[in-house]
Amino acid sequence: MEGHASQVTEHDSDRFWDLYSRFYDSVYHLMPYRKLLWDTYQALELQPGIRVLDAGCGTGNLELFISEKPHPPVEIEGVDYSQAMLARARSKCRDLSFVEFKRCDLNRPLPYPDASFDRIVSVNVLYALEKRDDTMRELLRILKPGGRLVITSPTPEFSIAPLLLDHMRRVRNIWGFSRKARRVLGSISILATSGVGSIILNVFVINRRENAGRYHSLDLTDLEAFLARHGPSGIGDVRIQPALAQQNLFATATKMAAA
Ligand SMILES: C[S@@+](CC[C@H](N)C(=O)[O-])C[C@H]1O[C@@H](n2cnc3c(N)ncnc32)[C@H](O)[C@@H]1O
């Protein structure tokens, strides 16, 4: 079955994410977030010629991170429903010929034929989706047999403080005075500017939406159950571990060839 084109209307998108796009890049300088991107990059095991879907790509941080690391020739398609996030992603990644960004609503059938991608990655998006089981069915449909899924999402106890502490611990361990000084000064300037906006939006919007039952983060039991529900559709080799200073869960799974 091929999903029909997901037409995104203004109503579908969410002004909150458009607003967040103005501050979101501050996370790129947060060391535990960079570690999360590193874990994601490693879990993707990029091979020459593969197609990767980044579901909920935001401002293109993962694509930028990959471009800074050794990688074979691959094609990455980043999709998001926020025009503002996509505008930032396109601007940041304008020189990256292996990346394309498209507007797409993950709450709707996805506009791709079956078995379109070798890898599907989704970083910190699952909790914000309306019906994540429907989205997962769609992601599995467009993932090739043998393809890998990499998903990371915040836990219900998610809090900013452990991230900041982890950041400071990692900065303290940086080797070399000038590198360390650059990071310290960078941290201060980011915290004083876009970092504050980012923290306020997290505390006042994401936390409130979570408390109001609109967003649904997952603990280990929820995530295991969620992935197990999709086992019969052919998902296997599931591995879950903590990430992002213990504030996230990081899951990898494979779509079984016989599905
Ligand atoms: C916390 S950000 C994560 C962005 C990116 N993956 C990263 O780690 O930097 C969540 C992203 O999910 C996107 N998003 C939320 N609901 C969506 C939906 N229904 N369809 C497409 N994108 C969605 C938001 O616009 C936002 O860019």
Side-chain angles (χ1 to χ4, degrees):
M1 196 244 340
E2 184 177 328
H4 60 71
S6 86
Q7 295 164 346
V8 187
T9 66
E10 280 316 308
H11 173 74
D12 296 319
S13 187
D14 187 329
R15 293 255 167 91
F16 160 63
W17 292 114
D18 288 347
L19 176 65
Y20 204 168
S21 71
R22 298 183 192 191
F23 307 100
Y24 194 75
D25 282 339
S26 57
V27 294
Y28 200 67
H29 305 281
L30 200 59
M31 294 193 68
Y33 176 75
R34 292 183 73 84
K35 169 73 168 70
L36 181 74
L37 293 181
W38 170 256
D39 292 342
T40 307
Y41 159 76
Q42 286 208 306
L44 284 171
E45 285 185 9
L46 298 173
Q47 312 282 334
I50 64 167
R51 277 190 89 199
V52 182
L53 179 76
D54 182 5
C57 59
T59 60
N61 284 341
L62 178 63
E63 289 68 24
L64 195 62
F65 188 85
I66 290 173
S67 77
E68 292 165 358
K69 304 285 170 248
H71 62 87
V74 292
E75 278 176 47
I76 305 184
E77 199 153 312
V79 296
D80 204 288
Y81 73 172
S82 160
Q83 294 274 38
M85 287 278 185
L86 288 171
R88 238 205 83 73
R90 288 190 183 111
S91 157
K92 271 161 57 179
C93 300
R94 60 187 171 277
D95 295 330
L96 307 183
S97 57
F98 65 95
V99 180
E100 210 180 318
F101 294 104
K102 288 192 182 154
R103 192 165 189 223
C104 170
D105 185 351
L106 296 166
N107 289 323
R108 293 173 176 235
L110 302 176
Y112 297 101
D114 297 355
S116 295
F117 295 96
D118 304 274
R119 308 277 190 272
I120 296 183
V121 54
S122 189
V123 177
N124 292 346
V125 181
L126 202 60
Y127 67 95
L129 299 178
E130 282 168 16
K131 293 183 188 157
R132 59 172 165 249
D133 281 295
D134 290 355
T135 306
M136 185 65 160
R137 268 187 284 280
E138 276 295 276
L139 294 179
L140 287 175
R141 176 183 69 74
I142 64 174
L143 183 63
K144 290 182 188 171
R148 179 171 300 177
L149 201 58
V150 180
I151 292 181
T152 170
S153 194
T155 63
E157 292 77 34
F158 182 92
S159 154
I160 305 273
L163 294 186
L164 298 178
L165 287 175
D166 190 75
H167 175 80
M168 289 188 299
R169 186 179 60 77
R170 286 175 188 275
V171 168
R172 220 175 30 236
N173 291 339
I174 289 178
W175 185 83
F177 179 76
S178 62
R179 287 178 69 227
K180 188 184 280 203
R182 254 201 321 273
R183 278 281 173 203
V184 170
L185 290 175
S187 310
I188 293 169
S189 91
I190 286 148
L191 198 62
T193 53
S194 52
V196 173
S198 199
I199 290 172
I200 289 173
L201 289 178
N202 256 283
V203 172
F204 289 102
V205 182
I206 296 188
N207 283 3
R208 284 194 181 181
R209 286 184 176 187
E210 179 82 27
N211 294 338
R214 179 164 168 193
Y215 285 172
H216 308 273
S217 50
L218 301 96
D219 62 19
L220 183 59
T221 312
D222 299 331
L223 185 58
E224 281 171 346
F226 170 68
L227 293 170
R229 274 202 296 285
H230 295 276
S233 342
I235 197 176
D237 191 20
V238 173
R239 288 159 207 230
I240 303 177
Q241 60 189 53
L244 198 70
Q246 314 280 324
Q247 303 308 294
N248 260 32
L249 289 170
F250 187 95
T252 55
T254 303
K255 177 169 168 177
M256 294 298 144

